[in-house]
Amino acid sequence: MTTALLPTPPAPTGVGEPDTGTVDQQAPASRPGLSLRWSMPLLRLVAVGLLAAGAAIVAWTILPLAWGWSSAVIVSGSMSPQVHRGDVVVTSPPAADWRPAVGQVVTVPDQTHPGQTVTHRVVGFDEQGRLMTRGDANGSDDAFRTAPEQVRGIARLLVPRIGLATLLLREGHPALFVAQSAAVLGVLALALRLPVLPLRPLAAMRRRAA
């Protein structure tokens, strides 16, 4: 009669003997919030720079008004490529001894549209000394002539595109105005260092809730 040999059980490990078995080591879980924490200071720095640039543009547009200057949004492309639709032109009133010269950009009453003004370049004078004006993109002079004392302003500063969103809103196209407003609010929120919730693993959030 034969009997099957049973496997010999392993000898018990003595107390105090070092355990020679291998232990699986797991790398620490990555922290999704880490990249966000490092990127937020950079984003805030960019936001502060954008706000500073925007404040400078607004200052150049508004502060001259305290000196009696005026500003107007360009509503057409007649002065392109140097002046575009949506640009803001800041003008100063002519001095008492001002003498117009060819090449100057001036704001004069638009005699073809009463109550409006036009900002064009002086291109010459007629026999009576009146100004002949023309838009840089136009192929002919303006149909009217302007006496020097009728000039409303002399162009001094050009602020590009700052009035485009407001102009489109006034014309019934609010998309750009809404987008610009949302962008300004977002930049302002970053610059003011509003609290941002860090991204955390779902398991960690559950442990905290427990």
Side-chain angles (χ1 to χ4, degrees):
M1 181 176 179
T2 60
T3 57
L5 295 178
L6 298 178
T8 305
T13 304
V15 178
E17 288 186 10
D19 187 3
T20 58
T22 59
V23 179
D24 293 335
Q25 295 183 355
Q26 296 182 353
S30 60
R31 302 176 63 182
L34 186 60
S35 60
L36 179 63
R37 187 182 306 115
W38 281 101
S39 62
M40 286 307 296
L42 178 59
L43 290 176
R44 290 190 178 111
L45 181 62
V46 173
V48 171
L50 291 175
L51 283 180
I57 291 175
V58 172
W60 277 109
T61 306
I62 295 178
L63 289 181
L65 304 184
W67 307 328
W69 294 17
S70 59
S71 61
V73 179
I74 302 301
V75 299
S76 72
S78 63
M79 283 295 292
S80 62
Q82 293 191 5
V83 183
H84 298 276
R85 173 178 157 85
D87 292 351
V88 171
V89 174
V90 180
T91 61
S92 66
D97 57 349
W98 174 70
R99 295 293 181 269
V102 173
Q104 287 182 318
V105 176
V106 295
T107 298
V108 299
D110 187 351
Q111 299 176 27
T112 58
H113 300 87
Q116 300 183 19
T117 60
V118 61
T119 301
H120 281 174
R121 192 179 304 277
V122 178
V123 294
F125 304 92
D126 64 6
E127 296 81 0
Q128 301 177 18
R130 296 178 302 179
L131 281 65
M132 302 166 60
T133 53
R134 181 195 304 176
D136 291 350
N138 294 342
S140 59
D141 298 345
D142 296 330
F144 54 85
R145 302 292 181 261
T146 305
E149 59 270 16
Q150 293 179 308
V151 173
R152 300 283 183 84
I154 306 168
R156 301 296 186 185
L157 297 173
L158 176 66
V159 186
R161 302 294 185 177
I162 191 175
L164 182 58
T166 304
L167 179 62
L168 292 177
L169 177 65
R170 189 170 61 190
E171 295 176 349
H173 305 285
L176 181 59
F177 182 83
V178 173
Q180 186 183 68
S181 301
V184 170
L185 291 177
V187 169
L188 184 61
L190 285 173
L192 292 178
R193 301 176 65 88
L194 295 182
V196 178
L197 290 176
L199 300 177
R200 298 178 181 277
L202 183 59
M205 297 179 66
R206 287 177 176 173
R207 286 199 300 269
R208 173 166 294 188

